[in-house]
Amino acid sequence: ACPGDPLYAWVRAGAPRPDGTGPQGGAGGEVPAGDGVARYRVRIKGLEYGYGAKGDHVTKVGEALVAQGFGRYYMVGPGPTWSDADTRNYSDYQQSLGYSGTAPHEDADGVPGEVSLHRLLGYLPGEKTPAAAPPFPGRSAFRLGRSNPAVTVLDQGLVRRGFARHHAGPVYRPGPVFTTYTRDNVRDFQRATPALAGDADGYPGPLTWRLLLS
């Protein structure tokens, strides 16, 4: 049964918990001062990130963190004001990328840098927002050793998202042939994406295509 009016009244009252407490902050709970959580801000492409920063771009970061499986510190979900919960979740994400050092101003302190932010979102807010992914061309476009224009589009997405460590020459170059290097780079992307990690075979399906290119 729909909870209806009783639930609405509970939310309007501040969503009190059984112990009398309620959600704190915009996106999540705060931690005691001096607890080692970074409280400074940075500016990337004209937008601020870090404790107290506000805007739709902050919500987008939180939503992307949740989608990637890094939302354990949120009490009420992502919101437009950067809280300690955003910082702690972003720190978890940075550590998953191999960064270390969680004290303020260290590499995994939970305050975004351009590289990690671009890796998370696939673009940098403040730049032109990318269009939706092109239509999925079908699984038959991705066969080892076969050429298809869709492979070039796939490769461009892999390079843009930073999944291009497998290659034959000096760098991984987009091209129309689906090679073992293409497959291995796709597999890396799938393994790094929680929604895809359970079926990381290196062959793009509709979800892999959409998440990589949107």
Side-chain angles (χ1 to χ4, degrees):
C2 176
D5 292 339
L7 176 61
Y8 183 55
W10 175 73
V11 171
R12 293 191 64 181
R17 291 346 190 220
D19 62 359
T21 63
Q24 304 174 49
E30 304 300 286
V31 298
D35 198 43
V37 177
R39 291 277 179 88
Y40 68 96
R41 300 183 201 174
V42 296
R43 185 177 292 271
I44 300 173
K45 297 292 182 180
L47 298 173
E48 284 193 324
Y49 301 87
Y51 188 78
K54 299 179 183 291
D56 290 341
H57 63 289
V58 173
T59 304
K60 286 182 171 63
V61 170
E63 291 172 343
L65 287 170
V66 170
Q68 294 283 341
F70 301 99
R72 65 183 176 130
Y73 292 105
Y74 288 134
M75 295 174 66
V76 293
T81 301
W82 193 287
S83 74
D84 287 334
D86 294 284
T87 301
R88 297 169 82 184
N89 287 329
Y90 202 94
S91 176
D92 284 352
Y93 165 67
Q94 289 171 321
Q95 291 175 73
S96 79
L97 298 180
Y99 296 119
S100 60
T102 59
H105 298 285
E106 293 187 331
D107 290 342
D109 67 356
V111 179
E114 284 196 17
V115 174
S116 64
L117 186 62
H118 193 285
R119 180 80 172 265
L120 177 67
L121 300 177
Y123 70 103
L124 292 176
E127 295 180 339
K128 183 178 179 181
T129 302
F136 180 61
R139 295 179 187 273
S140 62
F142 309 109
R143 296 180 179 177
L144 280 177
R146 301 288 291 275
S147 178
N148 191 294
V151 179
T152 301
V153 177
L154 177 76
D155 279 345
Q156 290 168 341
L158 289 168
V159 171
R160 185 171 62 250
R161 297 293 293 273
F163 293 92
R165 69 188 182 96
H166 302 284
H167 48 79
V171 295
Y172 185 69
R173 298 186 183 281
V177 179
F178 191 84
T179 67
T180 56
Y181 304 112
T182 311
R183 182 190 61 195
D184 291 343
N185 288 326
V186 171
R187 183 183 288 124
D188 283 351
F189 170 72
Q190 291 170 329
R191 286 173 174 167
T193 306
L196 304 169
D199 188 24
D201 62 1
Y203 292 91
L207 184 57
T208 296
W209 178 265
R210 178 172 61 82
L211 293 178
L212 179 64
L213 298 177
S214 62

